[in-house]
């Protein structure tokens, strides 16, 4: 029995059509699917390049993008920053203060300039044969504008500069531009960014994977069948592109014109059972009952595209079945069926060809639809942006209208004020005329005053000459001069002055004895009554008399007289007590300000220099401490208690008539071991007193606390808050000076006259305190005004400059301070807002005039 495979009817849909091929043992079936190319590959992606106004400097970035990104289309983007100052009549004004027409004209000029710059970039691209377009946005922040453009346009490839060309180096690997760092940090992760500098790639920020960019399968329908058709053969004239030859292990020969077999095909009997399908047409061979059958249609001239194959291997005849067993009618039916099958297959191939064309048209339509969707979304986005911009412009217009009304109101008030000012000007003119008359009279008075000044200067010179002569006389007769300062008092006078030593008049008491306040010869005095039971009482008495009766200094207590009968010493009365009491605010006394403390330190230094440089023999106090420093009514300090002092002989050694004494916290470590006083012993005690004036803390272990504060930068926390706000530079300078005075080795301590005084005296002058007439040099000094003194150098400024803290410094001093790494104020220790310096020309002129006048 022969079987012909079923042929689909013309009414069936092409998508469900099945094609059957030769099912030979060696044939392979395959399933073919037509996939659509992803639309994203069809749309050419642009490379965006951010460029600035300077074409010469930004050209290297554009050239790098043209040569290295592989983009066939470049988009130049630019962020324009509208100017805040509008030039009008040779002067620039704020845009808000210029009329709308002027701002609009200037903005138009700005935009035209931007377009000219962008056109220049486009010409560069055109010269290199690359398509390019331009895009720009107006924003105050360039980096924010770039990020906004990347987000709005969903930019995937972006190139921008990493830094200015002057920062480029071969070792450059990081971004040097604040804008580039901001874009790298804030730009969408889906954007791939190249950062370049001077035509070299500095770094790249890779884009993150985005699911929206994945490729989708083609919507083309696949052509398949249940029997897994391998190929379909058609005449070359019908569909040459789809023709392929049938592959089979059986030898197949061409059919004759009348349909008879020219060759034979042999197949194993095991393959024959699978040759029949449901719904196939069956054709019997004849009355002989032969099992020969037609398995498939093959290629022949009468039925193109089909091949006849016979499975009966026993026939020796060249025909597929015997003519004597088949009548002509039945044979005609076979030929008719074969012709119909051939026509059906040709129709099917035509339908397949039409379907391919329809699929190509559908694919083009899908591509165009995708492009249209993108264009529509972009247009929709631009429309929304335009609406938002229009709404903002409306708001700004309303705001400008309100501002205009406010300006008109201010103009009306300004006109009113103008009228008032004109009236005041008229009054000022009248007043100026009156002042002019007064000036004329004042000039006359000034001339008379100058004449009187000249006369006074002449008298002063005469007085100075007389004083110099008297000084020489006093030097020649020192005993006569000193005897004028000392008086002997009787015991009865001492007793009456103290009301018989009334306990209510006692103001102090210690190992040395008691101190009473009294009235002696109509003068309020302090009477020190030494302890007669002490073995050192008479010695200390005589020591103070010998020392204090022979010298006078404003900062050493004045010995008015003595009573040898009662071992009593009479001093000037100092109402403010000791420095120790004032540092501790005893009896709720007000604290000492930092200016007063600085003055007291200078006074103590001057007194010590005076003592150590005494011409006949130097004097070493030996027990210098705040309790032995008294303050008068004006808080002027005076050193007292010279009973334990030592005299410095010509051989450099000391001699003392008393046993060595001293207070531990203020005692020189070298003196403790050698029990011999030196001038450096007083320097050590003076250093401890300086630290106490700065901090207000107890003397014990104070040096260690100040050292730690200086090393850790916490000196401000250690300063005494009761003294007010110390100038940080002066406080730090005093602290370091005090620590030098407190060195354990005496040779490392500074000299009071050559080192310490040169630091303290300018500090005193810088706070407006008058120069001390009994300073170490004993000569008159001209003190410059406070604002002429540099707070750092403490000298008259030659080139004054104003810093960010508002203080004026010598240019050399403040530059050295800033160059050493400081970013704080030398006066307040507060961080400076900037490091710019402004020359103070007015102060410089005043200083030069003052120097010429006093030169």
């Amino acid at each position: 029995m022969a079987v012909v495979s079923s042929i689909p009817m013309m009414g069936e849909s092409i998508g469900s059509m099945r094609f059957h091929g030769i099912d030979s043992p060696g044939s392979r079936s395959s399933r073919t699917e037509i996939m659509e190319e992803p639309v994203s590959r069809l749309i050419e992606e642009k490379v965006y390049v951010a460029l600035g106004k300077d074409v010469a400097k930004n050209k290297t970035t554009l050239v790098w993008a043209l040569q290295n990104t592989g983009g066939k289309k470049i988009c130049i983007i630019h962020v324009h920053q509208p100017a805040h100052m509008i030039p009008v009549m040779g002067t620039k004004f704020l845009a808000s203060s210029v009329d709308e027409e002027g701002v609009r004209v200037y903005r138009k000029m700005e935009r035209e300039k931007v377009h000219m710059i962008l056109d220049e970039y486009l010409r560069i691209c055109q010269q290199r044969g690359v398509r390019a377009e331009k895009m720009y946005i107006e924003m105050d922040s360039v980096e924010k504008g770039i990020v906004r453009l990347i987000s709005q346009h969903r930019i995937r490839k972006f190139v921008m500069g990493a830094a200015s060309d002057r920062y480029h180096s071969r070792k450059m690997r990081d971004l040097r531009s604040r804008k580039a760092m901001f874009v790298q940090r804030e730009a969408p992760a889906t954007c791939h960014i190249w950062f370049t500098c001077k035509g070299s790639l500095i770094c790249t920020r890779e884009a993150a994977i985005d699911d929206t960019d994945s490729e989708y399968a083609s919507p083309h329908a696949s052509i398949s069948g249940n029997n897994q058709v391998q190929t379909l053969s058609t005449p070359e004239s019908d569909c040459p592109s789809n023709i392929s030859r049938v592959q089979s292990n059986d030898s197949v020969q061409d059919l004759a014109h009348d349909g008879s077999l020219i060759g034979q095909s042999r197949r194993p009997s095991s393959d024959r059972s699978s040759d029949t399908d449901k719904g196939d047409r069956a054709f019997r061979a004849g009355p002989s009952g032969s099992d020969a059958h037609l398995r498939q249609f093959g290629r022949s001239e009468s039925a193109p595209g089909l091949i006849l194959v016979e499975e009966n291997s026993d026939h020796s005849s060249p025909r597929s079945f015997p003519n004597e067993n088949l009548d002509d009618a039945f044979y005609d039916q076979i030929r008719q069926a074969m012709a119909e099958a051939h026509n059906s297959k040709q129709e099917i191939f035509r339908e397949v060809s039409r379907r391919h064309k329809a699929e190509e048209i559908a694919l083009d339509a899908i591509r165009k639809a995708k492009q249209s969707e993108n264009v529509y979304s972009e247009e929709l986005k631009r429309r929304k942006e335009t609406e938002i911009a229009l709404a903002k412009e409306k708001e700004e217009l309303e705001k400008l209208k309100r501002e205009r009304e406010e300006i008109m109101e201010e103009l009306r008030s300004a006109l009113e004020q103008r009228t008032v000012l004109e009236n005041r000007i008229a009054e000022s003119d009248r007043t100026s005329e009156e002042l002019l008359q007064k000036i004329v009279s004042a000039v006359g008075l000034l001339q008379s005053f100058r004449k009187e000044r000249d006369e006074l200067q002449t008298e002063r010179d005469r007085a100075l000459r007389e004083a110099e002569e008297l000084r020489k006389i006093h030097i020649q007769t020192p005993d006569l001069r000193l005897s004028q300062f000392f008086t002997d008092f009787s015991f009865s006078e001492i007793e009456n002055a103290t009301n018989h030593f009334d306990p209510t008049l006692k103001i102090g008491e210690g190992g040395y004895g008691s101190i009473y306040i009294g009235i002696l010869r109509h003068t309020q005095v302090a009477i020190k009554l030494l302890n007669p039971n002490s073995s050192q009482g008479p010695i200390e008495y005589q020591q103070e008399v010998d020392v204090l009766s022979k010298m006078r200094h404003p900062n050493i207590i004045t010995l008015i007289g003595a009573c040898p009968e009662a071992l009593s010493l009479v001093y000037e009365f100092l109402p403010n007590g000791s420095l120790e009491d004032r540092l501790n605010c005893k009896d709720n006394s007000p604290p000492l300000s930092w200016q007063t403390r600085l003055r007291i330190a200078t006074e103590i230094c001057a007194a010590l220099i005076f003592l150590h440089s005494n011409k006949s023999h130097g004097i070493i106090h030996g027990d210098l401490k705040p309790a032995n420093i008294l303050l008068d009514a004006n808080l002027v300090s005076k050193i007292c208690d010279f009973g334990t002092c030592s005299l410095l002989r010509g051989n450099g050694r000391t001699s003392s008539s008393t046993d060595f004494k001293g207070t531990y916290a203020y005692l020189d470590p070298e003196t403790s071991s050698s029990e011999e006083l030196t001038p450096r012993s007083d320097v050590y005690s003076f250093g401890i007193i300086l630290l106490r004036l700065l901090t207000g803390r107890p003397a014990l272990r104070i040096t260690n606390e100040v050292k730690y504060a200086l090393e850790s930068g916490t000196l401000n926390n250690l300063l005494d808050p009761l003294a007010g706000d110390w100038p940080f530079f002066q406080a730090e300078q005093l602290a370091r000076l005090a620590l030098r005075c407190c060195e354990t080795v005496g040779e490392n301590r500074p000299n009071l006259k050559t080192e310490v005084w040169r630091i303290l005296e300018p500090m005193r002058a810088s706070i407006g305190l008058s120069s001390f007439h009994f300073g170490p040099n004993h000569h008159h000094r001209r003190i410059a005004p406070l604002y002429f003194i540099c707070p750092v150098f403490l000298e008259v400024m030659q080139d004054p400059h104003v810093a960010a803290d508002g203080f004026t410094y010598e240019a050399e001093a403040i530059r050295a301070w800033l160059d050493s790494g400081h970013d704080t104020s030398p006066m307040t220790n507060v961080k400076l807002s900037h490091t710019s310096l402004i020359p103070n020309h007015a102060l410089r002129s005043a200083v030069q005039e003052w120097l010429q006048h006093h030169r």
Side-chain angles (χ1 to χ4, degrees), residues 29-87:
S29 302
S30 62
R31 182 177 179 179
T32 306
E33 294 182 357
I34 302 176
M35 304 298 293
E36 179 194 8
E37 261 190 34
V39 178
S40 61
R41 293 182 179 175
L42 302 175
I43 301 175
E44 185 176 359
E45 194 166 10
K46 302 176 186 176
V47 176
Y48 292 78
V49 185
L51 300 174
K53 292 183 177 180
D54 194 333
V55 178
K57 293 183 178 179
N58 290 271
K59 182 179 178 180
T60 56
T61 302
L62 178 58
V63 172
W64 186 93
L66 294 174
Q67 295 176 349
N68 296 277
T69 59
K72 296 183 179 179
K73 190 167 185 180
I74 297 294
C75 182
I76 309 298
I77 68 170
H78 173 73
V79 179
H80 172 58
Q81 294 176 293
H84 296 290
M85 303 297 291
I86 305 298

Side-chain angles (χ1 to χ4, degrees), residues 17-302:
M17 189 177 298
R18 297 176 181 178
F19 304 96
H20 301 275
I22 299 175
D23 191 9
S24 62
S27 65
R28 295 181 57 190
S29 302
S30 62
R31 182 177 179 179
T32 306
E33 294 182 357
I34 302 176
M35 304 298 293
E36 179 194 8
E37 261 190 34
V39 178
S40 61
R41 293 182 179 175
L42 302 175
I43 301 175
E44 185 176 359
E45 194 166 10
K46 302 176 186 176
V47 176
Y48 292 78
V49 185
L51 300 174
K53 292 183 177 180
D54 194 333
V55 178
K57 293 183 178 179
N58 290 271
K59 182 179 178 180
T60 56
T61 302
L62 178 58
V63 172
W64 186 93
L66 294 174
Q67 295 176 349
N68 296 277
T69 59
K72 296 183 179 179
K73 190 167 185 180
I74 297 294
C75 182
I76 309 298
I77 68 170
H78 173 73
V79 179
H80 172 58
Q81 294 176 293
H84 296 290
M85 303 297 291
I86 305 298
V88 178
M89 302 294 292
T91 307
K92 292 187 177 181
F93 297 92
L94 288 172
S96 58
S97 61
V98 181
D99 60 288
E100 296 180 2
E101 181 63 21
V103 174
R104 186 186 65 78
V105 172
Y106 187 74
R107 292 286 184 250
K108 183 178 179 181
M109 293 171 61
E110 281 187 328
R111 295 186 184 101
E112 290 176 353
K113 186 175 180 181
V114 169
H115 281 291
M116 292 174 62
I117 294 171
L118 295 179
D119 290 341
E120 182 66 23
Y121 288 126
L122 294 181
R123 280 193 292 273
I124 295 174
C125 296
Q126 185 179 4
Q127 292 172 359
R128 294 178 176 266
V130 178
R131 292 179 299 164
E133 58 186 34
K134 60 185 178 180
M135 178 194 309
Y136 83 100
I137 187 174
E138 292 186 359
M139 287 190 71
D140 291 333
S141 174
V142 174
E143 55 269 25
K144 291 182 180 179
I146 292 175
V147 173
R148 181 174 177 182
L149 286 172
I150 293 175
S151 301
Q152 286 184 350
H153 296 277
R154 299 180 181 178
I155 295 175
R156 294 294 183 267
K157 295 182 179 180
F158 187 73
V159 181
M160 73 174 295
S164 178
D165 287 349
R166 65 175 180 272
Y167 293 119
H168 178 265
S169 66
R170 294 184 178 178
K171 298 181 180 180
M172 181 177 175
R173 293 294 182 271
D174 298 325
L175 302 180
R176 298 285 183 87
S177 168
R178 175 177 54 82
K179 301 181 181 65
M181 294 177 183
F182 182 88
V183 173
Q184 183 188 41
R185 183 177 64 255
E186 300 295 336
T190 57
C191 182
H192 186 97
I193 306 178
W194 292 279
F195 295 96
T196 68
C197 183
K198 210 170 184 180
S200 300
L201 180 63
I202 302 304
C203 65
T204 304
R205 197 199 74 169
E206 299 292 340
I209 297 176
D210 189 0
D211 294 340
T212 59
D213 292 334
S214 61
E215 298 179 356
Y216 295 90
S218 172
H220 288 196
S222 61
I223 305 174
S224 63
N226 292 337
N227 293 336
Q228 298 181 346
V229 174
Q230 180 177 0
T231 184
L232 186 63
S233 179
T234 59
E236 293 182 0
S237 60
D238 291 343
C239 187
S241 62
N242 293 327
I243 294 177
S244 63
R245 297 188 178 273
V246 178
Q247 303 295 328
S248 175
N249 291 335
D250 299 335
S251 60
V252 181
Q253 303 215 359
D254 295 335
L255 296 175
H257 292 287
D258 57 354
S260 62
L261 289 175
I262 297 175
Q264 296 181 350
S265 175
R266 301 181 181 269
R267 293 183 57 189
S269 60
S270 61
D271 297 336
R272 296 175 183 176
S273 59
S274 61
D275 292 337
T276 59
D277 291 330
K278 187 177 180 180
D280 293 343
R281 290 183 178 180
F283 299 90
R284 298 287 181 180
S288 63
S290 174
D291 59 353
H293 63 274
L294 291 175
R295 187 167 184 255
Q296 280 189 336
F297 295 99
R299 174 177 299 184
S300 68
E301 294 180 1
S302 59

Side-chain angles (χ1 to χ4, degrees), residues 680-692:
R680 293 189 177 92
S681 302
D682 287 345
V683 175
Y684 181 88
S685 303
F686 176 70
I688 300 295
I689 294 174
L690 274 181
L691 294 179
R692 290 211 61 195

Side-chain angles (χ1 to χ4, degrees), residues 797-804 807-811 814-815 834-845:
M797 291 180 283
Q798 300 292 332
D799 187 13
H801 278 66
V802 182
F807 290 92
T808 300
Y809 304 89
E810 182 70 36
I814 191 62
R815 288 196 182 102
H834 57 82
T835 57
S836 300
L837 302 177
I838 302 175
N840 194 337
H841 298 295
L843 182 60
R844 183 172 181 272
S845 300

